[in-house]
Amino acid sequence: MNQSYNLSPVLCELLEFAESTLGTEIQLVRRTDVPPQGVLIDDFTFGTGKHMIAFSSSQLGMLKDYTICRHCLELLAKGCAARSNEFRVISFATESARPACGQIYLDILKDEATRNIAVWRKKQLLFLLYMLFHEAFSELPLTLLANIVIARRYPVIRNAQVYFLLKESMRDMHDLVPVKEFLPQRYFVLHNGMYYARDMLLAYVLSEFKLNPVINIPELQRFRNLDVKEMMSHRWSRSPWYHTKMVGDALSNILKLTITMDMEQDLSEQYFRDLFTLGREVLARWWVMMGMQEWFLWESPEHLKAALASQEVMERTIQQEIFGSD
């Protein structure tokens, strides 16, 4: 670990454990162009030959430690799964993308807001929505589990964690709003419902602890006298997306039923293998409820790299099958 930053003792201990367990160095990088959530570039996923955790130059103190800690936990889950040859990523192929895009097209035609949009936009929507969910599914489970581990195990980081989650959940809520009128309602609801479920579960976990986050985020001033759970619930229930809340409640219940692992047990390689397996189980259950169990494949990182390289050809082929030749 290239230790040139002022890190809290618990984070130093976790980083040392990670390097010892994985038998490799973890590089920490501060950059101005890194998004607030930070970036993990690991050899297991990207084949870079090194592991790097990058965080934004605007993040200082415990907020920086929170970002590094979350990515370190994700790296451990991936690395321990890889050491037992269990590491897989969410990939896709023509045989999985074809029925998925076919279903998206049917839903575009069923929705009053999208059935009459231009053909070129319908074509564009197929893979746009497909890859939107690919990105969310690839990121959400491990990030959620890492946040639960932080809440359970690292009290010194909790206040920074709450600050980050309250601020970033607002961004996630409104991410699709600018294009909402161009999307079938089903996909807007399902996408936002996943983030609602994440917020509700983390608010439930964090509500067990005494927290005093510094609330200097303008959007949160009206929540000053509410606890974390009430803030999240108030924010989503007062939004115009009632269907999102209904779907999100169902997805959140699945999380509560699935995530039963004891996060406070001693850290070990098996602990992180179980964490990775738990992430897959969460998605398996979500996909059944969302009707997407055949949409994606669990494959090697090399398979995903090849799929992304051939995405344009795959997209054109599927568009021609659905819409016919131009």
Side-chain angles (χ1 to χ4, degrees), residues 146-173:
N147 269 304
I148 296 174
V149 174
I150 291 172
R152 295 287 189 197
R153 302 186 68 95
Y154 303 114
V156 70
I157 301 179
R158 278 190 207 129
N159 281 342
Q161 178 187 27
V162 172
Y163 177 91
F164 179 87
L165 293 174
L166 290 174
K167 191 174 177 68
E168 287 305 296
S169 74
M170 181 68 77
R171 178 185 61 82
D172 292 330
M173 276 179 66

Side-chain angles (χ1 to χ4, degrees), residues 251-294:
L251 293 172
S252 183
N253 287 335
I254 289 174
L255 291 178
K256 290 177 183 177
L257 292 171
T258 307
I259 303 175
T260 57
M261 176 179 164
D262 177 12
M263 303 293 185
E264 298 179 54
Q265 61 184 288
D266 291 342
L267 296 184
S268 64
E269 195 169 322
Q270 185 61 50
Y271 178 99
F272 287 100
R273 280 204 297 268
D274 292 344
L275 207 65
F276 185 82
T277 302
L278 188 56
R280 289 190 58 165
E281 179 63 21
V282 164
L283 282 181
R285 296 190 182 193
W286 270 9
W287 286 346
V288 169
M289 181 196 153
M290 299 165 81
M292 297 180 178
Q293 58 266 49
E294 306 298 332

Side-chain angles (χ1 to χ4, degrees), residues 29-311:
V29 179
R30 184 198 295 274
R31 293 176 59 103
T32 55
D33 57 349
V34 173
Q37 64 269 28
V39 175
L40 169 63
I41 301 176
D42 61 278
D43 181 48
F44 309 115
T45 307
F46 302 102
T48 55
K50 60 184 178 181
H51 308 299
M52 183 180 76
I53 298 174
F55 58 96
S56 173
S57 299
S58 64
Q59 290 188 328
L60 304 171
M62 296 309 297
L63 198 56
K64 158 184 60 67
D65 284 21
Y66 161 74
T67 301
I68 296 171
C69 183
R70 193 182 78 250
H71 285 303
C72 184
L73 291 167
E74 294 172 13
L75 175 63
L76 274 163
K78 292 179 180 181
C80 291
R83 285 168 65 88
S84 58
N85 200 30
E86 296 171 0
F87 179 58
R88 298 291 184 275
V89 297
I90 300 173
S91 187
F92 56 94
T94 303
E95 57 268 26
S96 65
R98 184 185 291 114
C101 289
Q103 183 59 54
I104 292 171
Y105 180 59
L106 290 176
D107 289 326
I108 289 172
L109 296 180
K110 290 177 187 176
D111 195 295
E112 291 184 9
T114 55
R115 68 166 61 122
N116 294 319
I117 62 175
V119 173
W120 69 267
R121 194 178 290 279
K122 289 175 183 173
K123 289 183 177 181
Q124 187 183 57
L125 268 181
L126 297 186
F127 246 72
L128 187 149
L129 284 171
Y130 185 63
M131 296 309 293
L132 178 73
F133 279 87
H134 177 271
E135 181 182 357
F137 291 145
S138 298
E139 173 191 315
L140 242 171
L142 272 187
T143 301
L144 168 65
L145 293 172
N147 269 304
I148 296 174
V149 174
I150 291 172
R152 295 287 189 197
R153 302 186 68 95
Y154 303 114
V156 70
I157 301 179
R158 278 190 207 129
N159 281 342
Q161 178 187 27
V162 172
Y163 177 91
F164 179 87
L165 293 174
L166 290 174
K167 191 174 177 68
E168 287 305 296
S169 74
M170 181 68 77
R171 178 185 61 82
D172 292 330
M173 276 179 66
H174 296 285
D175 202 28
L176 294 183
V177 170
V179 294
K180 181 176 184 290
E181 62 186 277
F182 302 112
L183 305 179
Q185 186 184 44
R186 163 181 164 79
Y187 296 99
F188 180 84
V189 165
L190 287 175
H191 188 269
N192 270 27
M194 291 189 290
Y195 291 98
Y196 170 95
R198 175 205 63 186
D199 286 354
M200 289 300 102
L201 182 67
L202 289 175
Y204 173 78
V205 171
L206 287 161
S207 66
E208 298 179 21
F209 308 107
K210 183 175 177 58
L211 297 163
N212 295 293
V214 179
I215 303 179
N216 57 3
I217 309 171
E219 298 89 347
L220 299 180
Q221 291 299 326
R222 65 183 182 276
F223 299 138
R224 181 172 293 277
N225 297 319
L226 302 179
D227 66 19
V228 178
K229 190 175 180 182
E230 289 171 323
M231 286 182 197
M232 291 297 195
S233 180
H234 186 280
R235 170 184 285 173
W236 281 97
S237 63
R238 290 294 185 271
S239 78
W241 309 313
Y242 179 68
H243 289 97
T244 296
K245 188 177 188 306
M246 290 176 62
V247 171
D249 281 333
L251 293 172
S252 183
N253 287 335
I254 289 174
L255 291 178
K256 290 177 183 177
L257 292 171
T258 307
I259 303 175
T260 57
M261 176 179 164
D262 177 12
M263 303 293 185
E264 298 179 54
Q265 61 184 288
D266 291 342
L267 296 184
S268 64
E269 195 169 322
Q270 185 61 50
Y271 178 99
F272 287 100
R273 280 204 297 268
D274 292 344
L275 207 65
F276 185 82
T277 302
L278 188 56
R280 289 190 58 165
E281 179 63 21
V282 164
L283 282 181
R285 296 190 182 193
W286 270 9
W287 286 346
V288 169
M289 181 196 153
M290 299 165 81
M292 297 180 178
Q293 58 266 49
E294 306 298 332
W295 280 32
F296 300 103
L297 311 168
W298 286 105
E299 286 287 352
S300 66
E302 291 74 24
H303 186 283
L304 175 59
K305 185 177 180 180
L308 291 171
S310 62
Q311 179 183 331

